[in-house]
Amino acid sequence: MTVNTYDVTADLTPEGLAEWQRMVAGEVYEDSHPEIERKRVEAKKLFRAYNQLDYDQETERRAIMEQLFAAVGEDVFIEPNFRCEMGRNITIGSHAYINFDCVMLDNAPITLGDYVWIAPMVGLFATNHALDFEERKNGACQAKPIVIEDGVWLGGHVTVLGGVTIGRGSVIGAGSVVTKDIPAGVIAVGNPARVLRPITESDKTGFCERIAARNAAR
């Protein structure tokens, strides 16, 4: 795991820093504050540069990931067109795969464990605008953390909202909207997503045994 030690808030004014601290702490903050917007633009420049790289530019892709995210593990691959809000509030474990057109609104921390697989067009939306119109039009937002534990698979077009934890090894069916915590080791589907059933030994296909036997015979 490579941890980004650069202090992204070092150049903020006291006022901007106060809004940033409210943002990551889950308090109501001014999303339209010019210094929050400046940090958003910094992230946009990085992920746009990442998305323009060719697949064989592995060193350059890794360098941008290490600059953009709070921390990133080994063997992480992100397809274009990846987009995020701040970048620095995202932690990605090892052996993660993020497919095309993923969007992460990381105004609060978003944490992905090891071997997390994300299908195309998934959205992880940690932040939410105020419900009151006057507050909303003046930039009031509130963000809550998202935690995706080891071995989770999010199907295509899944949406995960702020404040949600998805437990280890669970699978979220395509098109689902996850508004509440999902326990470990289950299949969950729907809008809002609900647990369909546990993942059991009967879900195994014998694939690992077949591959092991094939490799042993070589």
Side-chain angles (χ1 to χ4, degrees), residues 7-22 30 33-39 42:
D7 182 3
V8 73
T9 66
D11 60 347
L12 296 178
T13 66
E15 181 181 280
L17 179 61
E19 292 304 320
W20 179 280
Q21 291 172 337
R22 290 186 184 101
E30 185 184 358
H33 191 282
E35 293 191 73
I36 297 296
E37 179 59 26
R38 178 162 58 85
K39 291 301 172 183
E42 290 175 9

Side-chain angles (χ1 to χ4, degrees), residues 17-144:
L17 179 61
E19 292 304 320
W20 179 280
Q21 291 172 337
R22 290 186 184 101
M23 178 182 74
V24 297
E27 301 172 8
V28 177
Y29 69 97
E30 185 184 358
D31 188 66
S32 55
H33 191 282
E35 293 191 73
I36 297 296
E37 179 59 26
R38 178 162 58 85
K39 291 301 172 183
R40 187 178 286 116
V41 170
E42 290 175 9
K44 286 179 180 178
K45 290 179 179 179
L46 287 170
F47 72 66
R48 287 182 64 183
Y50 179 92
N51 290 329
Q52 292 170 1
L53 292 172
D54 287 332
Y55 284 95
D56 60 355
Q57 294 180 276
E58 296 178 6
T59 301
E60 293 87 347
R61 291 164 71 94
R62 178 71 190 189
I64 292 178
M65 282 193 281
E66 291 181 2
Q67 186 177 357
L68 178 61
F69 301 133
V72 59
E74 301 305 315
D75 185 32
V76 172
F77 195 88
I78 304 173
E79 299 279 6
N81 286 308
F82 174 80
R83 287 154 288 177
C84 63
E85 190 86 9
M86 302 296 171
R88 276 305 294 275
N89 297 321
I90 298 171
T91 296
I92 302 176
S94 295
H95 314 294
Y97 177 70
I98 299 172
N99 216 321
F100 300 106
D101 295 313
C102 180
V103 177
M104 297 188 189
L105 303 186
D106 61 301
N107 301 80
I110 294 177
T111 304
L112 277 58
D114 297 337
Y115 290 97
V116 169
W117 291 356
I118 295 180
M121 299 182 182
V122 165
L124 307 181
F125 303 148
T127 195
N128 198 15
H129 294 284
L131 295 178
D132 179 82
F133 170 58
E134 292 299 322
E135 291 188 344
R136 185 165 64 249
K137 77 176 185 179
N138 283 288
C141 283
Q142 188 172 17
K144 299 293 184 182

Side-chain angles (χ1 to χ4, degrees), residues 185-207:
V186 301
I187 299 170
V189 299
N191 181 7
R194 294 181 174 86
V195 174
L196 179 66
R197 64 175 179 84
I199 299 170
T200 68
E201 289 293 314
S202 65
D203 290 303
K204 291 184 176 180
T205 66
F207 173 81

Side-chain angles (χ1 to χ4, degrees), residues 103 121-125 146 154-162 164 166 172-180 190-193:
V103 177
M121 299 182 182
V122 165
L124 307 181
F125 303 148
I146 292 173
L154 305 180
H157 292 266
V158 163
T159 299
V160 181
L161 301 186
V164 165
I166 300 177
I172 310 299
S176 298
V177 179
V178 188
T179 62
K180 295 182 179 179
N191 181 7

